[in-house]
């Protein structure tokens, strides 16, 4: 029996070796003469170099101090759809845009001292959407797909079932503690992620009364909830004017608003202004880059910025006159302005910053757009990191869910991350069909490109073009989310508690615990108790 097992294991091991040898491209090596100069591959790194890199990392890890403290401020950076392969590919792209090989570089949040994983399934689905996940990491409970700010009693699309099932968010808890709060996103401000901070709906699509006017039960649309029920959110920036203007008003960029405009006869932008005026608040409403840059944060306490009719533009296209004429601020610029306004509150603030179009690029199967928006998100994180103190500000970077994009093949070090997988002979690696393939591929989506049983030949296709759809295995008009875990990166007070694998709704609880709000508002039940233990 022992011999049989041993032989079987040896046979499997040999098979594994043979398969690897077949798949891995073997270079053609010239004969040795004995006089060749010593040459290292890659960037010429020697063994001593790699040892030095590891020792530096080790010294930095040993020097990391556990930050026991109360978070005066909390910033949650949410990369919508920012899967782990998206992080890796964006890191490589960032380096390659600096004329480096890329793999050895880092994103700003790579350097945060604590990392963990988040389990993204929702109450009724293995693979979730942004509504259910937003409710998890902002409200602290898992819920059903497509619902926002309600618990698992709510059936998707059933207005009646949401009554009494509402749950509050860390934005609400922070307001109750006297803190300032804000929302910054590149999507519509009524979209799933930002809406989870303030809205309660049985259907994430109920962004305006265009959708709710015929729904039984009298549920209020998301835009109306934002303006009517949340007058104390000091910073609101993103896109989505269509759900705030009346149907008979003209949008300054888009023109007619007849289709999506409000049916209740109200101009919600004007209502927002009227409320701030009646309460003698210092406020500004802006819809273009010029007006945005003119806002003085020192004299502005409330800022509403709606920079697009629908979603804001991809960062790659933000300055392209074919896509944007009036101009939009970058996510980094919006983040900076938000922090400047909110940080005037001596009690602190909570800020949600969403890189929402990472997700949209993936849904379109256009990896270039997703990666460039990840780099814009990275800049916003670096800005927030530089503007705040690690002793009093907790910064959390995570994603709501993953996507089906992955990094495949055996490309050489420094090979164009958006390009085709190379071989060791100056050409392309090829599939069993004899055709090249790209390093980034999707498991499903609009990039499915098989005709008469044959995959399209992309040899002469520019895969670095923004319009290129990476090839996909399953044909779908829109690529889907993935159900795998996503990463958590954190720094600041109590950030060490993010280490490990966590349920996604744990994120809201830890942010509340660190900042002593919500269920953890008592000093004996929040981070303040830990501070007292360490500093009696």
């Amino acid at each position: 029996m022992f011999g049989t097992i041993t032989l079987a294991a040896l046979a499997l091991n040999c098979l594994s070796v043979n398969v690897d040898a077949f798949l891995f491209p073997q270079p053609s090596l010239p004969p040795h003469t004995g006089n060749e100069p010593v040459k290292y591959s890659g960037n010429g790194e020697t063994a001593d170099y790699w040892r030095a890199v590891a020792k530096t990392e080790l010294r930095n890890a040993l020097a990391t101090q556990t930050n026991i403290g109360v978070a005066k401020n909390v910033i949650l950076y949410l990369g919508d759809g920012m899967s782990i392969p998206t992080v890796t590919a964006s890191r490589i792209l960032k380096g390659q845009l600096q004329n480096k090989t890329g793999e050895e570089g880092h994103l700003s949040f790579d350097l945060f001292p604590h990392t963990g994983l988040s389990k993204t399934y929702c109450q009724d689905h293995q693979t979730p959407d942004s509504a259910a996940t937003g409710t998890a990491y902002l409200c602290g409970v898992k819920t059903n797909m497509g619902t926002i700010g309600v618990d698992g009693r709510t059936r998707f699309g059933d207005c009646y079932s949401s009554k009494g099932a509402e749950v509050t968010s860390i934005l609400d808890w922070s307001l109750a503690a006297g803190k300032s709060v804000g929302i910054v996103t590149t999507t519509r401000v009524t979209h799933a992620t930002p809406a989870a901070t303030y809205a309660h709906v049985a259907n994430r699509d109920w962004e305006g009364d265009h959708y709710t006017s015929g729904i039984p039960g009298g549920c209020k649309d998301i835009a109306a909830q934002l303006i009517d029920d949340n007058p104390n959110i000091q910073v609101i920036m993103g896109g989505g004017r269509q759900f705030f203007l009346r149907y008979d008003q003209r949008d300054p960029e888009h023109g007619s608003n007849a289709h999506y405009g409000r049916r209740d006869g109200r101009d919600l932008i004007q209502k927002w202004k009227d409320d701030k005026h009646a309460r003698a608040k210092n406020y500004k409403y802006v819809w273009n880059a010029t007006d945005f840059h003119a806002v003085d944060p020192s004299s502005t306490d409330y800022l509403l910025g709606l920079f697009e009719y629908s979603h804001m533009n991809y960062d790659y296209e933000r300055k392209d006159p074919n896509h944007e004429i009036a101009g939009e601020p970058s996510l980094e610029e919006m983040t900076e302005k938000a922090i400047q306004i909110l940080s005037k509150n001596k009690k602190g603030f909570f800020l949600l910053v969403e890189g929402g179009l990472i997700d949209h690029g993936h849904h379109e199967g256009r990896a270039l757009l997703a990666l460039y928006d990840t780099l814009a998100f990275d800049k916003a994180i670096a800005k927030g990191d530089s503007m705040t103190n690690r002793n009093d500000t907790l910064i959390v970077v995570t994603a709501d869910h993953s996507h089906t994009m992955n990094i495949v093949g055996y490309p050489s070090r420094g090979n164009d991350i958006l390009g085709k997988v190379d071989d060791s002979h100056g050409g392309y690696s090829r599939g069993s069909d004899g055709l090249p393939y790209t390093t980034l591929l999707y498991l499903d989506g609009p990039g499915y490109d098989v005709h008469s049983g044959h995959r399209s030949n992309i040899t002469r296709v520019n895969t670095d073009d923004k319009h290129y759809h990476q090839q996909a295995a399953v044909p779908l008009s829109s690529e889907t989310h993935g159900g795998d875990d996503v990463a958590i990166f954190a720094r600041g007070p109590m950030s060490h508690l993010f280490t490990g694998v966590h349920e996604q709704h744990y994120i809201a609880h830890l942010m509340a615990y660190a900042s002593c709000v919500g269920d953890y508002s008592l000093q004996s039940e929040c981070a303040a108790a830990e501070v007292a233990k360490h500093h009696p």
Side-chain angles (χ1 to χ4, degrees):
M1 183 67 177
F2 175 80
T4 302
I5 294 174
T6 304
L7 288 174
L10 178 61
L12 287 171
N13 185 55
C14 291
L15 177 61
S16 174
V17 170
N18 288 337
V19 169
D20 287 345
F22 174 74
L23 291 176
F24 186 77
Q26 299 296 316
S28 299
L29 300 176
H32 284 280
T33 65
N35 298 317
E36 297 89 350
V38 175
K39 184 178 180 181
Y40 289 88
S41 61
N43 290 329
E45 299 96 340
T46 65
D48 287 342
Y49 169 83
W50 292 119
R51 292 187 185 103
V53 168
K55 288 176 180 178
T56 298
E57 279 197 39
L58 179 57
R59 284 194 296 270
N60 290 340
L62 290 169
T64 299
Q65 300 291 317
T66 301
N67 192 335
I68 304 295
V70 174
K72 174 184 175 183
N73 312 308
V74 175
I75 306 176
L76 174 60
Y77 285 95
L78 194 286
D80 199 316
M82 191 179 72
S83 61
I84 291 176
T86 303
V87 172
T88 303
S90 299
R91 180 191 304 128
I92 294 172
L93 176 61
K94 181 179 181 179
Q96 292 181 349
L97 290 173
Q98 299 169 348
N99 297 316
K100 300 176 182 177
T101 46
E103 299 86 355
E104 68 287 343
H106 61 264
L107 299 169
S108 62
F109 51 93
D110 284 336
L111 303 179
F112 284 7
H114 303 292
T115 57
L117 290 174
S118 168
K119 297 159 63 178
T120 64
Y121 72 93
C122 62
Q123 185 140 332
D124 63 344
H125 278 73
Q126 199 170 72
T127 299
D129 79 322
S130 296
T133 55
T135 303
Y137 60 75
L138 288 165
C139 303
V141 298
K142 286 187 181 266
T143 192
N144 295 328
M145 185 118 130
T147 66
I148 297 174
V150 289
D151 65 28
R153 289 172 287 176
T154 302
R155 296 181 297 276
F156 177 72
D158 183 344
C159 173
Y160 291 107
S161 68
S162 67
K163 303 296 179 67
E166 298 88 350
V167 292
T168 55
S169 76
I170 188 169
L171 181 143
D172 299 307
W173 312 333
S174 298
L175 275 174
K179 298 176 183 285
S180 294
V181 297
I183 304 163
V184 172
T185 180
T186 49
T187 68
R188 296 187 294 265
V189 298
T190 50
H191 211 235
T193 298
T197 63
Y198 62 83
H200 313 280
V201 288
N203 186 335
R204 58 176 289 175
D205 292 335
W206 294 347
E207 295 183 59
D209 68 350
H210 162 79
Y211 296 104
T212 58
S213 55
I215 299 296
C219 282
K220 185 184 289 189
D221 64 273
I222 296 173
Q225 289 188 46
L226 175 57
I227 302 303
D228 294 343
D229 305 337
N230 294 273
N232 295 316
I233 301 177
Q234 287 183 234
V235 175
I236 305 167
M237 285 191 280
R241 292 188 298 263
Q242 62 193 99
F243 298 121
F244 293 84
L245 298 173
R246 297 190 311 271
Y247 76 93
D248 58 350
Q249 288 179 284
R250 291 188 64 79
D251 182 81
E253 289 182 295
H254 184 265
S256 173
N257 195 36
H259 183 71
Y260 293 106
R262 300 201 63 78
R263 269 58 176 168
D264 60 7
R266 298 194 298 162
D267 175 349
L268 292 184
I269 296 173
Q270 187 59 51
K271 185 178 187 302
W272 181 88
K273 293 178 183 178
D274 292 343
D275 170 75
K276 305 304 174 282
H277 179 77
R279 294 195 286 150
K281 303 295 184 181
N282 296 317
Y283 66 93
K284 293 286 184 183
Y285 164 69
V286 293
W287 64 271
N288 59 63
T290 300
D291 291 347
F292 167 82
H293 290 301
V295 172
D296 180 0
S298 67
S299 60
T300 304
D301 297 323
Y302 285 80
L303 176 60
L304 173 61
L306 299 177
F307 301 107
E308 266 298 332
Y309 179 68
S310 183
H311 300 298
M312 295 178 70
N313 284 293
Y314 288 112
D315 194 73
Y316 191 84
E317 299 174 337
R318 185 170 53 86
K319 295 184 179 180
D320 184 343
N322 293 316
H323 291 272
E324 180 59 38
I325 298 175
E328 298 176 0
S330 68
L331 186 60
E332 177 186 16
E333 291 167 336
M334 291 191 290
T335 300
E336 179 180 26
K337 192 87 72 175
I339 293 173
Q340 289 171 334
I341 292 173
L342 299 177
S343 61
K344 293 185 292 184
N345 187 335
K346 294 182 179 180
K347 292 185 178 181
F349 65 84
F350 169 79
L351 174 63
L352 169 68
V353 178
E354 183 197 19
L357 302 185
I358 301 169
D359 174 75
H360 292 201
H362 281 318
H363 279 307
E364 291 191 40
R366 296 199 283 169
L368 178 145
L369 297 178
L371 300 193
Y372 272 86
D373 260 83
T374 304
L375 296 185
F377 184 59
D378 178 53
K379 290 180 181 178
I381 296 166
K383 177 60 68 175
D385 186 28
S386 69
M387 293 179 69
T388 56
N389 189 319
R390 295 194 175 203
N391 291 325
D392 69 5
T393 302
L394 171 64
I395 293 182
V396 182
V397 179
T398 191
D400 45 358
H401 53 73
S402 69
H403 273 275
T404 70
M405 187 199 82
N406 219 321
I407 303 171
V408 307
Y410 297 97
S412 299
R413 174 91 176 271
N415 192 59
D416 179 7
I417 189 63
L418 292 165
K420 306 171 190 75
V421 177
D422 63 335
D423 63 16
S424 57
H425 309 292
Y428 299 133
S429 180
R430 297 177 183 274
S432 58
D433 58 2
L435 299 176
Y437 56 96
T438 53
T439 301
L440 303 180
L441 291 173
Y442 288 95
L443 290 178
D444 59 32
Y448 179 83
D449 194 15
V450 177
H451 305 281
S452 302
H454 299 286
R455 189 166 56 94
S456 291
N457 188 347
I458 61 170
T459 300
R460 300 184 183 278
V461 174
N462 178 15
T463 59
D464 286 77
D465 186 272
K466 70 175 183 178
H467 298 292
Y468 179 71
H469 295 85
Q470 274 71 23
Q471 292 180 333
V474 177
L476 289 174
S477 60
S478 177
E479 180 264 358
T480 68
H481 296 168
D484 39 311
D485 295 352
V486 296
I488 308 168
F489 307 82
R491 65 82 152 162
M494 312 311 288
S495 58
H496 61 285
L497 297 178
F498 280 109
T499 303
V501 180
H502 301 286
E503 295 287 353
Q504 189 170 50
H505 66 288
Y506 170 83
I507 295 172
H509 286 264
L510 181 46
M511 292 190 297
Y513 175 83
S515 56
C516 296
V517 300
D519 287 352
Y520 309 92
S521 58
L522 294 179
Q523 296 289 291
S524 60
E525 297 180 0
C526 71
E530 287 299 307
V531 174
K533 289 179 185 177
H534 286 77
H535 305 284

